[in-house]
Amino acid sequence: MELISFLNYKKKSTVAKAKSGDNDAFLALINENRLNVYRVARGILKSEHDIEDAIQNTVIKAYEKINTLKKDEFFKTWLIRILINECNEIIRKNKKIENINKDSNEEKYNDTYENIDLINAINGLNEELRITTVLFYFEDMTIKDISAVLKIPEGTVRSRLSRAREKLRERMREV
């Protein structure tokens, strides 16, 4: 129990240091969460270029707005919320570009993971199901945390997870 208290204290103090302007503490927090951030971005966006942009914009916004974080222990949730907003902004911009360049024959980026049936099935889900699935299964976020991050009721999170599981079952049967 003391180890958990120590780790929580250490994490809180790192966030507190970052909030007081300690760049090394901020970088440590970003480094600690980099895999989680990448996985969430990868679950929402398909292009590696867009993923990199979303992560870069997220880090910049988090750095600029870290003083707005009310509870230090929610740094990861706060960071992922910023990331989701950035991903949604990129999706909106890409839709505008697609409408302008409908006849454009751009080459698609092939990710080394695209051959994995489950990843393909997850990427085939609509955006709200895909985001919820990635946060729950890949980021191990609780239904309560997902509800807070996405600003939707917990019951909606549960129903999205249920619908996503059903669609994934169907798609995996087809494979």
Side-chain angles (χ1 to χ4, degrees):
M1 198 66 158
E2 282 186 29
L3 178 61
I4 292 171
S5 297
F6 172 75
L7 292 174
N8 285 338
Y9 170 76
K10 185 174 179 179
K11 185 180 281 188
K12 285 180 187 175
S13 67
T14 304
V15 174
K17 287 177 189 175
K19 286 171 85 173
S20 67
D22 185 336
N23 292 336
D24 291 334
F26 180 78
L27 289 174
L29 289 168
I30 295 301
N31 192 38
E32 181 181 316
N33 290 287
R34 73 175 190 259
L35 184 58
N36 299 334
V37 168
Y38 177 80
R39 279 190 259 170
V40 171
R42 180 70 183 98
I44 299 170
L45 303 169
K46 294 184 176 147
S47 160
E48 196 66 32
H49 176 71
D50 288 343
I51 293 168
E52 290 170 3
D53 285 349
I55 292 171
Q56 182 177 7
N57 292 342
T58 298
V59 171
I60 291 168
K61 283 193 178 169
Y63 182 77
E64 291 172 345
K65 305 284 186 184
I66 192 148
N67 289 325
T68 65
L69 177 62
K70 292 180 179 124
K71 294 188 178 183
D72 293 358
E73 62 269 17
F74 294 123
F75 177 81
K76 179 181 173 183
T77 303
W78 176 76
L79 185 66
I80 288 176
R81 179 71 247 171
I82 295 171
L83 176 66
I84 290 170
N85 290 339
E86 287 301 314
C87 290
N88 288 336
E89 183 63 29
I90 288 171
I91 290 168
R92 276 191 294 279
K93 286 179 183 176
N94 286 347
K95 283 182 182 176
K96 288 178 185 175
I97 292 170
E98 279 180 28
N99 289 337
I100 293 170
N101 299 325
K102 271 192 176 178
D103 297 326
S104 174
N105 291 329
E106 292 183 24
E107 210 175 289
K108 270 193 167 179
Y109 176 80
N110 276 336
D111 189 310
T112 56
Y113 297 107
E114 282 187 352
N115 295 326
I116 300 173
D117 295 331
L118 181 59
I119 298 298
N120 285 338
I122 291 171
N123 285 338
L125 294 172
N126 70 40
E127 183 180 346
E128 65 184 23
L129 297 181
R130 186 174 64 245
I131 291 170
T132 308
T133 302
V134 168
L135 293 175
F136 187 76
Y137 290 106
F138 293 97
E139 293 308 312
D140 295 326
M141 290 181 73
T142 65
I143 289 174
K144 183 177 182 178
D145 288 344
I146 295 169
S147 170
V149 166
L150 298 180
K151 297 179 183 167
I152 57 175
E154 290 180 29
T156 304
V157 174
R158 284 188 202 92
S159 67
R160 285 182 185 179
L161 287 171
S162 178
R163 283 189 319 218
R165 281 190 288 265
E166 186 56 38
K167 287 185 183 223
L168 290 172
R169 271 198 259 336
E170 289 171 16
R171 290 183 181 167
M172 294 308 289
R173 279 188 209 124
E174 293 171 5
V175 174

